[in-house]
Amino acid sequence: GAAEVIPDAVMNQLADGGRLVGVENRGGIGRAMLYLCHRGVVSGRPLFDAAIALLPGMALERSFVF
């Protein structure tokens, strides 16, 4: 499944040299993402488009925007 945002608690578990692959769905557009941790800094890049349903609990909290 996909996530609208990868929680910080998950990103903080990446060790130096660690990798995380997942599908992010932002604005209805899904993208497979590769995240890498290098010297304590996590960066990510898109790999390809993907259409996958959101995982339960991985949606952003909706708030009022004026």
Side-chain angles (χ1 to χ4, degrees), residues 4 8 22-23 26-27 29-30 34 37 42 44-45 49-51 53 61 65:
E4 285 186 313
D8 287 338
V23 176
R26 293 192 179 184
I29 299 170
L34 170 64
C37 182
V42 178
R45 66 181 178 97
D49 292 343
E61 249 184 67
V65 176

Side-chain angles (χ1 to χ4, degrees), residues 22-33:
V23 176
E24 276 191 3
N25 188 328
R26 293 192 179 184
I29 299 170
R31 287 193 176 90
M33 297 289 294

Side-chain angles (χ1 to χ4, degrees), residues 10-47:
V10 173
M11 292 294 196
N12 292 337
Q13 293 180 44
L14 285 176
D16 194 41
R19 299 174 185 170
L20 172 70
V21 176
V23 176
E24 276 191 3
N25 188 328
R26 293 192 179 184
I29 299 170
R31 287 193 176 90
M33 297 289 294
L34 170 64
Y35 291 95
L36 304 170
C37 182
H38 181 70
R39 295 185 181 176
V41 177
V42 178
S43 61
R45 66 181 178 97
L47 299 173

